[in-house]
Amino acid sequence: MLKTLAKSIRQYKKTSVLSPVCVTFEVALECVLPLYMTTMLEKIQVDNSLKNILLWGGLLLVFAAFSLLFGMLAGKFAATASAGFARNLREDMYYNIQAFSFANIDKFSTSSLVTRMTTDVTNVQNAYMMLIRVAVRSPIMLIFSLIMAFFIDPVVSLVFLVLVPVLGIGLFVIFKLSWPIFDKVFKKYDAMNESIQENIKGIRVVKSYVREDYEKKKFAATAENVKKDFVRGEKLIALSNPLMQFCFWAATLFICFMGPMVGLTNGDQTISTKMSSLIVYSAQILSSLMMLSMILVMFSIARTSAERIVEVITEESTLHNPENPVTEVKDGSVRFENVSFKYNENAERRALKEVNLDIKSGQTIGILGGTGSSKTSLVNLIPRLYDVSEGAVYVGGVNVKDYDLETLRNQVAVVLQKNLLFSGTIKENLRWGNPDATDEELVRACKLAQADDFIRSFPDGYDTYIEQGGTNVSGGQKQRLCIARALLKKPKILILDDSTSAVDTKTDALIRKAFREEIPDTTKFIIAQRVSSVMESDQIILMKNGTVSDVGTHEELLARNPIYQEVYYSQNKIGNADAVKGGEDHE
């Protein structure tokens, strides 16, 4: 884990080293100052002339100024290094996520990935800053202060040999009990973020059903759950401060009691000065231990965050290019040979079972089936968004696993069920399909998708700004823009996954007509709920429970398949008892 994280330091190695170097000089000067003050007061007592006072006082100011300078430099270098480290971590995670397959994305929920790139990275950033500054400062301060204290008076300083272990053991017990609590709380962060994301995404539904109060209560329960764990942990950590205060005042009491006795015995006339220095060193020693304990807490929290970050950075895509990939798709023919598929290796149920299909290039294929019949799963295998569990899928006569992934996906355009537009102009959104597309090509694709008319009705036309998620256009308009974006890829295979459900039947018919006339050589897969959307297809595939229950033309299926008859007649409101009979098993 540490090796993986260390790779993200990169260009910030220099500042990561300079910070602890500056801290070392800062601490050394801080520890020397009390001892220097003791010597300074002794010298001034002997010679209290203005010249002598200015000399020793001036040197004191110089030491303090250099200590301040090194402290400021250490803070600057630590801030630069930790912020840069966090930036690199987010960059490395984000870049790796872009290479994820759908299976990898399924493994990590969206809310979890957001938490890892925000809260978790911030925790690691804070821990890294403490590592290169405070984690260096505290042990050096502890060691230097102990040495200086024993140098001033070894007898009185024996108190530290008792109090340091007491404080150390007490802090260790406190933080050992709190570690598991903080370890568990980050899993609850994911649940809370998921609740927020779900609510914001579906805010229109929430408001239309007047469910604001319900959503507030649900979020409050999640937030309360996170709060309770934090309170439990913070209560334990809060005990550390009284423990440290107890040790400090115990040390001060011992110094005040033993100091005069030892000083009088030795005939020391500067005992008050030495006692003051010892009290300063006791504060430095105990506060150093306190800071070390806080570092342990921070590292405990950061350890869980670091593990979650490393999981994302080291996650390898389940899809890989072969050693010598095929870089050309000959045509849009598709063949499924004994294909079975599971979304997870450990899943008991197969999403697809023994599918065999042979589709010629340029054909239009309609796919019908009830909810959960694996229509989308079937078409996701064509551009290799997932890999088959058994069997093989061939595109252009070549196994999809033998293609270069970019080559294959450039020739297979998919308009998914959830149409997504990004913030930017309509032109910018369309050019996701082809960054080099000309304005004429944009217009042609939009005309095919029946989008040109409504785009031109906007005051800014193709320069109209689309809000994030396409919230300022209707569902039907969004679908048509997504279809136009897919067409700009000029694919050999076009997959429309229920992508015309929000448009009226007339527009749907015009889109299909444009496909037939303008892109006859492109193989088209149309998943739909309306029979009218697929009845003109060369073949219609009926899906049921992950299997292909029947394949044929509209006329063939209408003549022989009771399920198809039931769907067709119910949608067209034609009473036909004989056709409906036997269709009770339709999903």
Side-chain angles (χ1 to χ4, degrees):
M1 181 181 74
L2 293 177
K3 285 182 180 179
T4 302
L5 293 174
K7 291 177 183 176
S8 296
I9 298 173
R10 293 197 288 277
Q11 69 268 39
Y12 299 100
K13 288 179 182 177
K14 183 179 178 181
T15 48
S16 297
V17 172
L18 285 173
S19 179
V21 169
C22 290
V23 165
T24 303
F25 284 111
E26 178 195 10
V27 171
L29 287 168
E30 281 188 22
C31 291
V32 166
L33 280 172
L35 182 63
Y36 174 81
M37 287 179 65
T38 301
T39 305
M40 179 184 73
L41 292 172
E42 289 176 352
K43 296 295 183 183
I44 290 174
Q45 281 184 343
V46 175
D47 179 8
N48 62 358
S49 65
L50 179 62
K51 180 182 177 182
N52 200 42
I53 291 172
L54 291 175
L55 174 65
W56 287 95
L59 286 172
L60 178 66
L61 290 175
V62 170
F63 285 148
F66 272 103
S67 176
L68 176 63
L69 175 63
F70 284 121
M72 290 171 61
L73 289 173
K76 177 180 179 294
F77 291 138
T80 302
S82 59
F85 176 51
R87 171 191 171 276
N88 288 345
L89 279 178
R90 289 192 179 96
E91 187 177 85
D92 293 343
M93 291 173 70
Y94 188 80
Y95 286 176
N96 201 42
I97 290 169
Q98 300 308 303
F100 280 3
S101 67
F102 277 26
N104 294 119
I105 295 170
D106 292 341
K107 179 180 176 181
F108 301 97
S109 68
T110 305
S111 58
S112 178
L113 288 174
V114 170
T115 304
R116 291 169 200 244
M117 292 189 68
T118 52
T119 306
D120 287 334
V121 171
T122 300
N123 289 335
V124 172
Q125 176 184 347
N126 292 336
Y128 187 65
M129 180 183 282
M130 294 187 78
L131 174 67
I132 60 177
R133 191 179 183 196
V134 183
V136 174
R137 176 187 173 86
S138 296
I140 294 175
M141 176 74 79
L142 178 65
I143 295 167
F144 277 20
S145 297
L146 280 170
I147 292 171
M148 293 298 180
F150 275 90
F151 182 78
I152 290 175
D153 197 314
V155 176
V156 177
S157 298
L158 289 173
V159 68
F160 299 123
L161 298 183
V162 177
L163 291 178
V164 167
V166 169
L167 181 59
I169 292 169
L171 292 172
F172 176 77
V173 171
I174 289 170
F175 294 119
K176 186 177 181 182
L177 294 173
S178 65
W179 284 346
I181 298 171
F182 289 112
D183 195 32
K184 185 174 63 174
V185 78
F186 286 100
K187 295 174 183 175
K188 296 185 178 181
Y189 260 131
D190 288 348
M192 185 170 69
N193 283 347
E194 190 171 355
S195 176
I196 295 169
Q197 185 180 19
E198 184 181 51
N199 178 270
I200 293 173
K201 206 170 185 179
I203 192 68
R204 286 171 174 77
V205 178
V206 172
K207 289 186 175 298
S208 64
Y209 281 89
V210 198
R211 298 286 283 175
E212 292 93 341
D213 290 340
Y214 170 78
E215 288 294 319
K216 286 177 185 176
K217 289 177 183 177
K218 187 173 76 170
F219 176 76
T222 307
E224 180 68 19
N225 208 5
V226 173
K227 187 207 83 172
K228 282 181 180 177
D229 278 347
F230 262 118
V231 169
R232 284 175 58 209
E234 293 293 345
K235 278 182 179 178
L236 286 169
I237 291 174
L239 296 174
S240 61
N241 194 53
L243 179 61
M244 197 275 282
Q245 292 292 329
F246 169 79
C247 291
F248 172 73
W249 290 112
T252 302
L253 183 64
F254 183 84
I255 291 168
C256 292
F257 178 74
M258 291 296 297
M261 294 177 61
V262 173
L264 288 173
T265 302
N266 294 337
D268 195 338
Q269 300 303 312
T270 59
I271 185 64
S272 61
T273 304
K274 290 187 175 181
M275 284 172 58
S276 298
S277 297
L278 284 171
I279 290 171
V280 171
Y281 283 130
S282 70
Q284 290 181 344
I285 290 166
L286 297 175
S287 65
S288 295
L289 269 178
M290 185 72 176
M291 288 306 300
L292 281 173
S293 65
M294 295 304 295
I295 290 168
L296 288 176
V297 174
M298 178 60 72
F299 284 178
S300 172
I301 296 172
R303 183 199 65 193
T304 305
S305 293
E307 288 171 351
R308 286 157 54 85
I309 290 168
V310 170
E311 276 181 359
V312 177
I313 292 176
T314 57
E315 178 77 9
E316 292 186 9
S317 175
T318 56
L319 304 179
H320 301 282
N321 273 342
E323 288 186 12
N324 298 301
V326 178
T327 56
E328 183 182 356
V329 180
K330 185 176 67 175
D331 57 44
S333 61
V334 177
R335 190 168 81 255
F336 286 75
E337 284 190 359
N338 299 317
V339 169
S340 294
F341 169 67
K342 293 192 292 187
Y343 279 99
N344 189 298
E345 291 180 0
N346 301 320
E348 295 180 3
R349 179 181 171 274
R350 290 182 293 179
L352 291 169
K353 306 165 201 169
E354 298 175 359
V355 175
N356 287 281
L357 294 168
D358 192 359
I359 296 151
K360 294 179 176 58
S361 183
Q363 283 190 322
T364 298
I365 306 299
I367 303 177
L368 290 176
T371 303
S373 59
S374 298
K375 303 183 296 295
T376 300
S377 301
L378 181 75
V379 296
N380 278 344
L381 299 179
I382 298 172
R384 205 185 168 201
L385 298 176
Y386 293 94
D387 267 340
V388 299
S389 303
E390 298 172 26
V393 178
Y394 295 85
V395 171
V398 178
N399 192 321
V400 292
K401 291 184 179 181
D402 294 332
Y403 278 113
D404 171 71
L405 273 172
E406 188 173 341
T407 298
L408 175 65
R409 290 177 183 171
N410 275 332
Q411 294 302 322
V412 182
V414 183
V415 184
L416 298 170
Q417 280 177 315
K418 295 180 181 178
N419 298 288
L420 181 64
L421 295 174
F422 297 89
S423 54
T425 65
I426 289 177
K427 282 184 179 179
E428 289 169 346
N429 269 278
L430 292 173
R431 285 197 170 105
W432 273 69
N434 180 2
D436 302 319
T438 63
D439 287 350
E440 291 74 18
E441 288 174 320
L442 296 183
V443 172
R444 181 177 181 276
C446 288
K447 283 181 177 178
L448 288 175
Q450 304 302 309
D452 183 65
D453 288 342
F454 80 77
I455 293 173
R456 292 186 185 279
S457 70
F458 296 145
D460 296 323
Y462 281 81
D463 292 314
T464 299
Y465 189 82
I466 299 293
E467 301 293 342
Q468 186 178 17
T471 55
N472 58 332
V473 291
S474 69
Q477 290 171 339
K478 191 188 301 184
Q479 286 186 335
R480 283 176 275 174
L481 287 172
C482 289
I483 292 171
R485 182 173 63 188
L487 289 172
L488 280 166
K489 292 182 74 173
K490 298 177 182 176
K492 287 186 168 66
I493 299 172
L494 175 64
I495 298 171
L496 303 178
D497 188 353
D498 206 13
S499 304
T500 57
S501 57
V503 302
D504 58 83
T505 53
K506 180 183 177 182
T507 304
D508 187 13
L510 289 172
I511 291 172
R512 285 184 280 111
K513 181 175 180 289
F515 287 170
R516 283 196 309 273
E517 295 175 355
E518 300 292 336
I519 50 172
D521 297 329
T522 298
T523 306
K524 298 163 280 289
F525 289 85
I526 302 173
I527 297 176
Q529 300 298 328
R530 294 190 295 235
V531 173
S532 60
S533 297
V534 299
M535 60 190 297
E536 297 173 0
S537 302
D538 298 301
Q539 291 187 72
I540 298 172
I541 300 170
L542 289 184
M543 299 288 297
K544 182 180 178 182
N545 296 329
T547 61
V548 176
S549 64
D550 205 348
V551 179
T553 64
H554 168 69
E555 291 75 16
E556 291 170 345
L557 294 176
L558 192 61
R560 70 171 183 247
N561 191 291
I563 296 176
Y564 189 82
Q565 291 166 356
E566 180 186 2
V567 175
Y568 175 75
Y569 288 117
S570 63
Q571 289 184 2
N572 289 278
K573 297 180 181 179
I574 299 173
N576 190 325
D578 293 332
V580 174
K581 188 179 180 181
E584 282 78 11
D585 61 340
H586 173 60
E587 291 185 317

PDB file of all heavy atoms in Angstrom, residues 325-329 402-404 407:
ATOM      1  N   PRO A 325      -3.862  -7.212 -31.409  1.00  0.00           N
ATOM      2  CA  PRO A 325      -5.285  -6.959 -31.635  1.00  0.00           C
ATOM      3  C   PRO A 325      -5.612  -6.672 -33.099  1.00  0.00           C
ATOM      4  O   PRO A 325      -4.784  -6.147 -33.849  1.00  0.00           O
ATOM      5  CB  PRO A 325      -5.566  -5.732 -30.768  1.00  0.00           C
ATOM      6  CG  PRO A 325      -4.253  -5.029 -30.694  1.00  0.00           C
ATOM      7  CD  PRO A 325      -3.214  -6.106 -30.686  1.00  0.00           C
ATOM      8  N   VAL A 326      -6.825  -7.025 -33.463  1.00  0.00           N
ATOM      9  CA  VAL A 326      -7.345  -6.704 -34.798  1.00  0.00           C
ATOM     10  C   VAL A 326      -7.774  -5.241 -34.778  1.00  0.00           C
ATOM     11  O   VAL A 326      -8.492  -4.807 -33.876  1.00  0.00           O
ATOM     12  CB  VAL A 326      -8.544  -7.612 -35.162  1.00  0.00           C
ATOM     13  CG1 VAL A 326      -9.112  -7.229 -36.528  1.00  0.00           C
ATOM     14  CG2 VAL A 326      -8.118  -9.072 -35.142  1.00  0.00           C
ATOM     15  N   THR A 327      -7.356  -4.471 -35.753  1.00  0.00           N
ATOM     16  CA  THR A 327      -7.598  -3.026 -35.747  1.00  0.00           C
ATOM     17  C   THR A 327      -8.554  -2.575 -36.851  1.00  0.00           C
ATOM     18  O   THR A 327      -8.611  -1.402 -37.180  1.00  0.00           O
ATOM     19  CB  THR A 327      -6.268  -2.267 -35.884  1.00  0.00           C
ATOM     20  OG1 THR A 327      -5.595  -2.711 -37.066  1.00  0.00           O
ATOM     21  CG2 THR A 327      -5.385  -2.492 -34.673  1.00  0.00           C
ATOM     22  N   GLU A 328      -9.296  -3.508 -37.414  1.00  0.00           N
ATOM     23  CA  GLU A 328     -10.264  -3.137 -38.444  1.00  0.00           C
ATOM     24  C   GLU A 328     -11.496  -4.029 -38.338  1.00  0.00           C
ATOM     25  O   GLU A 328     -11.374  -5.261 -38.257  1.00  0.00           O
ATOM     26  CB  GLU A 328      -9.659  -3.266 -39.846  1.00  0.00           C
ATOM     27  CG  GLU A 328     -10.617  -2.818 -40.951  1.00  0.00           C
ATOM     28  CD  GLU A 328     -10.016  -2.993 -42.342  1.00  0.00           C
ATOM     29  OE1 GLU A 328      -8.839  -3.391 -42.447  1.00  0.00           O
ATOM     30  OE2 GLU A 328     -10.734  -2.732 -43.324  1.00  0.00           O
ATOM     31  N   VAL A 329     -12.661  -3.406 -38.301  1.00  0.00           N
ATOM     32  CA  VAL A 329     -13.928  -4.142 -38.279  1.00  0.00           C
ATOM     33  C   VAL A 329     -14.444  -4.212 -39.713  1.00  0.00           C
ATOM     34  O   VAL A 329     -14.772  -3.187 -40.315  1.00  0.00           O
ATOM     35  CB  VAL A 329     -14.961  -3.459 -37.354  1.00  0.00           C
ATOM     36  CG1 VAL A 329     -16.269  -4.239 -37.358  1.00  0.00           C
ATOM     37  CG2 VAL A 329     -14.418  -3.341 -35.926  1.00  0.00           C
ATOM     38  N   ASP A 402     -10.700 -10.457 -29.678  1.00  0.00           N
ATOM     39  CA  ASP A 402      -9.495 -10.325 -30.505  1.00  0.00           C
ATOM     40  C   ASP A 402      -9.319  -8.917 -31.051  1.00  0.00           C
ATOM     41  O   ASP A 402      -8.290  -8.600 -31.650  1.00  0.00           O
ATOM     42  CB  ASP A 402      -9.541 -11.315 -31.677  1.00  0.00           C
ATOM     43  CG  ASP A 402      -9.477 -12.767 -31.202  1.00  0.00           C
ATOM     44  OD1 ASP A 402      -8.886 -12.998 -30.138  1.00  0.00           O
ATOM     45  OD2 ASP A 402     -10.042 -13.645 -31.888  1.00  0.00           O
ATOM     46  N   TYR A 403     -10.314  -8.049 -30.862  1.00  0.00           N
ATOM     47  CA  TYR A 403     -10.235  -6.682 -31.375  1.00  0.00           C
ATOM     48  C   TYR A 403      -9.490  -5.768 -30.402  1.00  0.00           C
ATOM     49  O   TYR A 403      -9.493  -5.992 -29.181  1.00  0.00           O
ATOM     50  CB  TYR A 403     -11.638  -6.093 -31.574  1.00  0.00           C
ATOM     51  CG  TYR A 403     -12.320  -6.488 -32.855  1.00  0.00           C
ATOM     52  CD1 TYR A 403     -13.458  -7.294 -32.832  1.00  0.00           C
ATOM     53  CD2 TYR A 403     -11.852  -6.048 -34.088  1.00  0.00           C
ATOM     54  CE1 TYR A 403     -14.110  -7.647 -34.003  1.00  0.00           C
ATOM     55  CE2 TYR A 403     -12.498  -6.404 -35.272  1.00  0.00           C
ATOM     56  CZ  TYR A 403     -13.622  -7.195 -35.219  1.00  0.00           C
ATOM     57  OH  TYR A 403     -14.253  -7.546 -36.388  1.00  0.00           O
ATOM     58  N   ASP A 404      -8.907  -4.712 -30.958  1.00  0.00           N
ATOM     59  CA  ASP A 404      -8.481  -3.583 -30.155  1.00  0.00           C
ATOM     60  C   ASP A 404      -9.760  -2.924 -29.632  1.00  0.00           C
ATOM     61  O   ASP A 404     -10.680  -2.628 -30.415  1.00  0.00           O
ATOM     62  CB  ASP A 404      -7.681  -2.596 -31.012  1.00  0.00           C
ATOM     63  CG  ASP A 404      -7.392  -1.307 -30.277  1.00  0.00           C
ATOM     64  OD1 ASP A 404      -6.577  -1.335 -29.343  1.00  0.00           O
ATOM     65  OD2 ASP A 404      -8.011  -0.281 -30.642  1.00  0.00           O
ATOM     66  N   THR A 407     -10.896   0.278 -31.289  1.00  0.00           N
ATOM     67  CA  THR A 407     -11.368   0.033 -32.659  1.00  0.00           C
ATOM     68  C   THR A 407     -12.785  -0.514 -32.655  1.00  0.00           C
ATOM     69  O   THR A 407     -13.653  -0.046 -33.395  1.00  0.00           O
ATOM     70  CB  THR A 407     -10.431  -0.962 -33.366  1.00  0.00           C
ATOM     71  OG1 THR A 407      -9.131  -0.390 -33.446  1.00  0.00           O
ATOM     72  CG2 THR A 407     -10.930  -1.296 -34.760  1.00  0.00           C
TER      73      THR A 407
END
